[in-house]
Amino acid sequence: MIEIIDGEAVASEIRDGLGDAIATLEDAGVTPGLATVLMSDDPASETYVSMKQQDCEEVGIDGIHVEIDPGAPAAELYETVEDLNANDEVHGILVQMPVVDQVDTRRVLRTVAPEKDVDGFHPENVGRLVAGDARFKPCTPHGVQKLLAHYDVETEGAEAVVVGRSDIVGKPMANLLVQKSAVGNATTTVCHSRTEDLAGHLGNADIVVAAAGVPEMIDGTMLKEGATVIDVGINRVDADTEKGYEIVGDVEQASAREVAGRITPVPGGVGPMTRAMLLWNTVKAASEQAGIEVTLP
Ligand code: NDP
């Protein structure tokens, strides 16, 4: 019998646990603050940012939102981030990616103060994660780790295949799975668009993390019997629905469910965990900056 990994339920437990940590901080006079910065005219980015602000409000994090005219010079974004770095009420800063063309993305990532970098994209934080001393784990792979832990998926000694090598999902995911630590110790393979025999790798995998952004590219015939399948993909495909589209993952769910042991649905799997872990990182940032110890879920 396939077990469906319920990301909504696990995310909701994490948000509840964060509520306790936030109460501890509040008692000490500290309200965690997350600043989101948007310099884009992409409607999807606007939606993502407003969802993040709504999440903050629900758990008791102060949300500050700064919107910069997409036509403004890049310096306006760098200066905004520097102002937020200096603002004591802001514990976490998230610049919504992708930013407009005139902005140097790497420079933005370097400008965010590492201790406020709740996305975990600053080179210092990337380095710390690789070195096994993570300050902030990027939200999506961190959320996947939480799901694996919650469902008691044995990672130690397991063959894990991560499909995708982006800086936000694939690489940090592989780095976490390979660490000599809890929810790590996996024998980890990273596949990408130049991988010659993807099906061969997947066929050996006890754990698959699919993050390629290619609709339903992995089907049941490619999977090992009983594998745990974590589908990170969020892909919009044309469909005969009211909106004219539907969201599918990178895994073809029907055939995968006949073979896999556990699987995340799309939507309702990794997505809610990514959102919850941003809140988690923000509460951690606030606790560390204020020097107040809290128990994180
Ligand atoms: P990117 O486009 O940055 O990276 C995709 C990766 O997949 C690349 O490394 C690419 O290889 C690899 N790839 C592409 N096609 C294939 C293929 N046919 N076979 C093997 N590998 C392939 O995407 P992201 O990492 O940002 O996101 C991946 C997916 O996850 C997207 O659908 C995105 O929407 C979703 N996502 C979901 C989140 C959630 O919360 N659920 C959060 C973040 C992303 P190469 O490097 O060679 O180009």
Side-chain angles (χ1 to χ4, degrees):
M1 267 288 280
I2 181 100
E3 183 174 23
I4 306 299
I5 296 180
D6 188 347
E8 293 284 2
V10 181
S12 164
E13 260 183 42
I14 288 176
R15 282 199 302 269
D16 287 349
L18 288 176
D20 297 337
I22 292 168
T24 307
L25 290 168
E26 286 283 359
D27 287 346
V30 175
T31 305
L34 174 69
T36 51
V37 184
L38 181 67
M39 188 177 186
S40 161
D41 41 22
D42 170 22
S45 290
E46 279 175 34
T47 309
Y48 291 144
V49 166
S50 71
M51 276 164 35
K52 288 166 189 175
Q53 286 293 338
Q54 192 187 323
D55 289 342
C56 285
E57 200 180 317
E58 279 171 19
V59 297
I61 291 175
D62 266 351
I64 297 163
H65 180 55
V66 185
E67 217 160 306
I68 301 172
D69 181 342
E76 209 168 305
L77 178 54
Y78 309 138
E79 283 160 20
T80 298
V81 171
E82 273 160 12
D83 288 346
L84 293 167
N85 285 343
N87 183 341
D88 287 344
E89 285 170 16
V90 171
H91 303 100
I93 301 170
L94 178 144
V95 180
Q96 183 64 43
M97 297 291 164
V99 281
V100 284
D101 289 347
Q102 69 268 32
V103 172
D104 175 353
T105 301
R106 287 186 193 278
R107 177 164 171 189
V108 181
L109 301 182
R110 282 197 311 268
T111 304
V112 175
E115 62 278 9
K116 296 192 178 187
D117 169 40
V118 286
D119 259 337
F121 296 159
H122 188 287
E124 179 180 314
N125 288 324
V126 175
R128 284 186 58 163
L129 182 138
V130 174
D133 176 31
R135 177 195 271 136
F136 298 118
K137 298 177 184 175
C139 302
T140 301
H142 193 185
V144 171
Q145 261 196 329
K146 289 279 181 194
L147 286 178
L148 294 173
H150 186 92
Y151 281 85
D152 290 325
V153 177
E154 183 62 90
T155 55
E156 184 163 330
E159 293 286 336
V161 169
V162 178
V163 186
R165 56 174 165 185
S166 71
D167 292 336
I168 63 166
V169 188
K171 280 188 211 158
M173 185 76 252
N175 268 312
L176 289 173
L177 285 168
V178 89
Q179 291 294 332
K180 200 166 187 173
S181 65
V183 206
N185 285 318
T187 304
T188 305
T189 303
V190 182
C191 296
H192 45 74
S193 69
R194 313 298 161 90
T195 296
E196 295 244 328
D197 180 16
L198 178 65
H201 290 288
L202 290 170
N204 273 332
D206 305 304
I207 298 169
V208 173
V209 181
V214 181
E216 300 182 325
M217 64 174 279
I218 297 170
D219 67 29
T221 63
M222 302 160 94
L223 297 169
K224 180 174 169 180
E225 187 86 38
T228 294
V229 179
I230 306 290
D231 190 354
V232 178
I234 299 180
N235 309 295
R236 190 188 273 207
V237 294
D238 294 341
D240 193 12
T241 61
E242 208 174 291
K243 291 178 176 165
Y245 66 86
E246 65 179 347
I247 300 294
V248 299
D250 289 355
V251 178
E252 203 280 302
Q253 290 270 332
S255 60
R257 286 181 188 204
E258 284 175 20
V259 182
R262 302 183 192 88
I263 194 165
T264 57
V266 177
V270 177
M273 294 301 293
T274 298
R275 291 169 64 177
M277 298 325 288
L278 175 64
L279 306 174
W280 196 100
N281 278 350
T282 303
V283 174
K284 179 175 196 273
S287 141
E288 286 176 357
Q289 283 159 52
I292 300 163
E293 237 180 86
V294 296
T295 306
L296 287 164

